[in-house]
Amino acid sequence: MGCLKIRILNGTQAQQEWELRDGFSIGRSRGDILLDDSRVSGLHATVQYDTLNQSWLLKDNKSKNGIKIDGQVTPFVVLKPNLKFFIGQTEFQVVEEIKTGSEELLTQVNATIKSSQNSPQNSPEAPPPPPDKLQESQKERRRWHEILADYFLKNIPTRQNHSNEVTALEFPVRLTFLSGVQKQTRWTLGYGPRHVGAHSTDLPIFESGAPPFCFSILPRPHGVDFQTDSPDLVLINGNSLPHRLLEHGDIISFGETRIEVEIIK
């Protein structure tokens, strides 16, 4: 399974890359990618997923200089592997990453370690940092896929496969993030159980301080059940409830995150 990323090809941010997601934005003063470029508008362009054509689009936000491909200004770009485009003076390329499970995660971990070993602060000209400081520094740079890969390597050999029963939901449920760090993210769920939380590998939450497992979506004979072990932190329509049958228009909230529930009938 592959995922698309955009990579910067020039300037001080060259070779940095980001995975595409709905609502991802680029700008000079606002956005997920901030470019120090006078030809870039404050909020220049936004990524959107076209569900009808199952493709990623980069749309211009009525910026002064637009998005350029081969020197031509365009209001939007269909993002496909190897495509190159300019925002201001910064050149981007769309790249595809093939994910094959834990082996790919391990590759990413090795690449991260190799990159850190080749970085200037670890060059032969400078003495290496003390082991405790090095471990602390590497721990700070660890990303979720590195932590997950480490977990796989340590635990998969000692674990056996267990079958998990899943059941189709009576009606699909769409969860739309209205606020928080995942704003504009949208999940459409067709089966359960599904688990949402900071430690969930199913539906992960990125907000700092979110509970390890915020809530679960469970199929029931006459609807879809919301359950949480943290009713004081995870509220539904502003109320502290450990479980409740979901209804169209419900709002699930915790911290800065608000999620709207849509029952698709």
Side-chain angles (χ1 to χ4, degrees), residues 3 18 23 27 32 41 46 83 100 117 120 148 156 161 171 173 191 209 234 255 260:
C3 71
W18 296 262
D32 299 281
S41 298
T46 303
L83 175 74
T100 58
Q117 290 173 341
L148 188 59
I156 282 182
N161 290 329
F171 297 104
V173 173
Y191 66 89
V234 181
E260 182 180 44

Side-chain angles (χ1 to χ4, degrees), residues 20 46-50 55-59 76-79:
L20 297 182
T46 303
V47 172
Q48 294 183 6
Y49 185 69
D50 182 352
S55 60
W56 290 100
L57 304 177
L58 180 65
K59 291 190 174 183
F76 69 91
V77 177
V78 179
L79 299 173

Side-chain angles (χ1 to χ4, degrees), residues 89-238:
Q89 301 181 63
T90 302
E91 186 176 16
F92 290 84
Q93 183 176 26
V94 182
V95 295
E96 184 176 25
E97 177 183 337
I98 305 300
K99 293 184 177 181
T100 58
S102 58
E103 291 183 359
E104 176 61 23
L105 294 176
L106 179 59
T107 300
Q108 294 182 26
V109 173
N110 289 335
T112 302
I113 294 173
K114 184 176 180 180
S115 174
S116 67
Q117 290 173 341
N118 292 333
S119 62
Q121 63 265 34
N122 292 328
S123 61
E125 288 76 10
D132 57 336
K133 294 296 183 182
L134 178 60
Q135 291 175 3
E136 181 180 349
S137 174
Q138 290 178 342
K139 183 177 180 180
E140 290 174 354
R141 289 197 298 268
R142 283 164 61 88
R143 298 182 180 178
W144 70 267
H145 61 262
E146 300 166 9
I147 297 170
L148 188 59
D150 186 53
Y151 173 83
F152 283 160
L153 291 173
K154 290 179 179 178
N155 292 281
I156 282 182
T158 63
R159 291 181 177 266
Q160 297 179 351
N161 290 329
H162 297 279
S163 59
N164 292 320
E165 242 183 75
V166 296
T167 305
L169 302 179
E170 182 181 19
F171 297 104
V173 173
R174 180 173 293 141
L175 302 179
T176 302
F177 287 71
L178 304 179
S179 63
V181 296
Q182 289 166 269
K183 183 179 179 180
Q184 298 184 358
T185 298
R186 180 176 294 170
W187 294 330
T188 301
L189 313 180
Y191 66 89
R194 305 299 296 273
H195 305 292
V196 179
H199 288 183
S200 173
T201 55
D202 178 20
L203 300 171
I205 293 296
F206 302 140
E207 177 170 331
S208 177
F213 293 96
C214 297
F215 63 91
S216 298
I217 300 295
L218 307 173
R220 292 291 183 254
H222 303 292
V224 180
D225 197 25
F226 159 91
Q227 286 191 7
T228 179
D229 292 332
S230 304
D232 293 336
L233 300 176
V234 181
L235 308 179
I236 182 162
N237 300 327

Side-chain angles (χ1 to χ4, degrees), residues 34-52:
L34 298 179
L35 301 174
D36 185 14
D37 184 343
S38 60
R39 298 181 62 83
V40 175
S41 298
L43 183 60
H44 198 104
T46 303
V47 172
Q48 294 183 6
Y49 185 69
D50 182 352
T51 54
L52 181 62

